[in-house]
Amino acid sequence: IGRLGGSIDLTYDTKDAKKDNGTLKLTLSDLTLTEGKFMGFDVPKMSFGKLTARIDIKDGKAEVKEFKGKGKDIEVRGEGTAALSPKIATSSLTMKLKFKPSDDFVQKNQKIQQLLFTIASAKDKEGFYAYQVTGALERPFFTQAR
């Protein structure tokens, strides 16, 4: 749940991804994830606040120049690249996503406490839990990273 805004300045070729060029700027305001399951884990409702992203595309290569958000419950950051393909869903990703729940959010949510215990090896020295995201855009594969 949230509000999407931004701008897209993109040249997209349906036959040759190497001709794809442009910039995507997105803002998600008041972003809230409803309760549910993520990667097999029960996740409570959480506020991401405002999430901003900027992706530059040159000659069919996309680079995440900005991906960050901070809400009362969680902070997220991301970086990486994608090799675009004519069918955008099959574009290949190489990204790193990090998240850091607030202390207050962790203390109030047993589900998050259990999840963080399970993925403790993914925690870095700044307190972020990091994941490498690879594979196709339509079916990303998440592995713990540091």
Side-chain angles (χ1 to χ4, degrees):
I1 302 172
R3 290 177 293 172
L4 176 64
S7 64
I8 299 173
D9 178 14
L10 178 65
T11 301
Y12 174 71
D13 190 293
T14 59
K15 293 186 179 13
D16 185 0
K18 291 181 181 177
K19 294 180 181 177
D20 296 346
N21 291 286
T23 302
L24 302 157
K25 294 179 183 177
L26 303 173
T27 302
L28 284 160
S29 300
D30 302 321
L31 180 61
T32 301
L33 179 69
T34 58
E35 186 173 345
K37 285 199 177 279
F38 181 72
M39 295 176 51
F41 294 102
D42 289 323
V43 179
K45 180 179 177 180
M46 66 181 80
S47 169
F48 286 80
K50 182 178 179 181
L51 180 73
T52 58
R54 185 178 125 217
I55 302 167
D56 290 347
I57 301 166
K58 183 172 172 127
D59 302 328
K61 304 280 186 204
E63 182 177 0
V64 178
K65 292 291 191 174
E66 176 185 9
F67 185 90
K68 63 183 178 179
K70 187 170 185 179
K72 66 179 179 129
D73 299 328
I74 194 162
E75 181 176 353
V76 295
R77 297 180 189 170
E79 59 186 33
T81 60
L84 301 180
S85 69
K87 183 181 172 196
I88 202 76
T90 62
S91 298
S92 82
L93 300 171
T94 304
M95 296 191 65
K96 186 172 189 178
L97 293 176
K98 298 166 60 167
F99 70 93
K100 179 180 177 181
S102 71
D103 292 338
D104 186 52
F105 182 68
V106 172
Q107 290 173 3
K108 291 180 180 178
N109 291 283
Q110 186 175 3
K111 290 178 183 179
I112 289 296
Q113 293 170 18
Q114 293 169 346
L115 170 64
L116 297 180
F117 178 77
T118 304
I119 63 169
S121 63
K123 189 174 182 180
D124 68 15
K125 61 186 173 194
E126 293 180 273
F128 282 87
Y129 295 83
Y131 277 83
Q132 189 71 28
V133 184
T134 56
L137 184 60
E138 67 186 347
R139 290 201 179 139
F141 184 71
F142 294 79
T143 55
Q144 289 184 11
R146 278 190 128 197

